[in-house]
Coordinates of all heavy atoms in Angstrom, one line a residue:
R1353 N 16.9 18.4 17.5 CA 16.7 17.2 18.3 C 15.9 17.4 19.5 O 15.0 16.8 19.9 CB 18.0 16.5 18.5 CG 17.9 15.2 19.4 CD 19.1 14.4 19.5 NE 19.0 13.3 20.3 CZ 19.8 12.3 20.4 NH1 21.0 12.3 19.7 NH2 19.7 11.3 21.3
K1354 N 16.4 18.5 20.4 CA 15.8 18.7 21.7 C 14.3 19.0 21.5 O 13.5 18.5 22.4 CB 16.5 19.8 22.3 CG 15.9 20.3 23.6 CD 16.7 21.4 24.3 CE 16.1 21.7 25.6 NZ 17.0 22.8 26.2
Y1355 N 13.9 19.7 20.5 CA 12.5 20.1 20.3 C 11.8 19.3 19.3 O 10.6 19.6 18.9 CB 12.4 21.6 20.1 CG 12.9 22.4 21.2 CD1 14.1 23.0 21.3 CD2 12.1 22.7 22.3 CE1 14.7 23.7 22.3 CE2 12.5 23.5 23.4 CZ 13.8 23.9 23.4 OH 14.2 24.7 24.5
A1356 N 12.4 18.2 18.8 CA 11.8 17.4 17.8 C 11.2 18.1 16.6 O 10.0 18.0 16.3 CB 10.8 16.5 18.5
V1357 N 12.1 18.9 15.9 CA 11.7 19.8 14.9 C 12.2 19.3 13.5 O 13.5 19.2 13.4 CB 12.0 21.2 15.1 CG1 11.7 22.1 13.8 CG2 11.3 21.8 16.3
S1358 N 11.4 18.8 12.6 CA 11.9 18.5 11.3 C 12.6 19.6 10.6 O 12.2 20.8 10.8 CB 10.7 17.9 10.4 OG 10.2 16.8 10.9
F1359 N 13.5 19.4 9.7 CA 14.2 20.5 9.1 C 14.8 20.2 7.7 O 14.9 18.9 7.3 CB 15.4 20.9 10.1 CG 16.5 19.9 10.1 CD1 17.5 19.7 9.4 CD2 16.4 18.9 11.2 CE1 18.5 18.7 9.5 CE2 17.3 17.9 11.3 CZ 18.4 17.8 10.5
T1360 N 15.0 21.2 6.9 CA 15.8 21.1 5.7 C 16.9 22.1 5.7 O 16.6 23.4 5.5 CB 15.0 21.2 4.5 OG1 14.1 22.4 4.5 CG2 14.1 19.9 4.3
L1361 N 18.2 21.9 6.1 CA 19.2 22.8 6.2 C 19.4 23.5 4.9 O 19.4 22.8 3.8 CB 20.4 22.2 6.8 CG 21.3 23.1 7.6 CD1 20.7 23.5 8.9 CD2 22.6 22.4 7.9
W1362 N 19.9 24.7 4.9 CA 20.3 25.4 3.7 C 21.8 25.5 3.6 O 22.4 26.1 4.5 CB 19.7 26.8 3.6 CG 19.8 27.5 2.4 CD1 20.8 28.4 2.0 CD2 18.9 27.5 1.3 NE1 20.6 28.9 0.7 CE2 19.4 28.3 0.3 CE3 17.8 26.8 1.0 CZ2 18.8 28.6 -1.0 CZ3 17.1 26.9 -0.1 CH2 17.7 27.9 -1.2
S1363 N 22.5 24.8 2.7 CA 22.1 24.2 1.5 C 23.0 23.1 1.1 O 24.1 23.0 1.6 CB 22.0 25.3 0.4 OG 21.5 24.8 -0.8
Y1364 N 22.5 22.2 0.2 CA 23.3 21.1 -0.2 C 24.6 21.4 -1.0 O 25.6 20.8 -0.7 CB 22.4 20.1 -1.1 CG 23.0 18.9 -1.7 CD1 23.6 18.0 -0.8 CD2 23.3 18.8 -3.0 CE1 24.2 16.9 -1.4 CE2 24.0 17.7 -3.6 CZ 24.4 16.8 -2.7 OH 25.2 15.8 -3.3
K1365 N 24.5 22.2 -2.1 CA 25.6 22.4 -2.9 C 25.6 23.9 -3.4 O 24.6 24.4 -3.8 CB 25.6 21.4 -4.1 CG 26.7 21.5 -5.1 CD 26.4 20.7 -6.3 CE 26.4 19.2 -6.0 NZ 26.4 18.4 -7.3
D1366 N 26.8 24.4 -3.4 CA 26.9 25.8 -4.1 C 28.3 26.1 -4.4 O 29.2 25.2 -4.2 CB 26.4 26.9 -3.2 CG 27.1 27.1 -1.8 OD1 28.2 26.6 -1.7 OD2 26.6 27.8 -1.0
A1367 N 28.8 27.2 -4.8 CA 30.1 27.6 -5.3 C 30.9 28.0 -4.1 O 31.4 29.2 -4.0 CB 30.1 28.6 -6.4
C1368 N 31.1 27.1 -3.1 CA 32.0 27.3 -1.9 C 31.6 28.5 -1.1 O 32.4 29.3 -0.6 CB 33.4 27.5 -2.4 SG 34.1 26.2 -3.4
F1369 N 30.3 28.5 -0.8 CA 29.8 29.7 0.1 C 29.3 29.1 1.4 O 29.8 29.4 2.5 CB 28.8 30.6 -0.6 CG 28.5 31.8 0.1 CD1 29.4 32.9 0.0 CD2 27.5 32.0 1.0 CE1 29.2 34.1 0.8 CE2 27.2 33.1 1.7 CZ 28.1 34.2 1.5

Side-chain angles (χ1 to χ4, degrees):
R1353 177 171 176 168
K1354 179 177 180 179
Y1355 294 99
V1357 173
S1358 295
F1359 65 92
T1360 51
L1361 209 69
W1362 190 266
S1363 179
Y1364 173 67
K1365 183 187 292 186
D1366 67 12
C1368 302
F1369 192 82

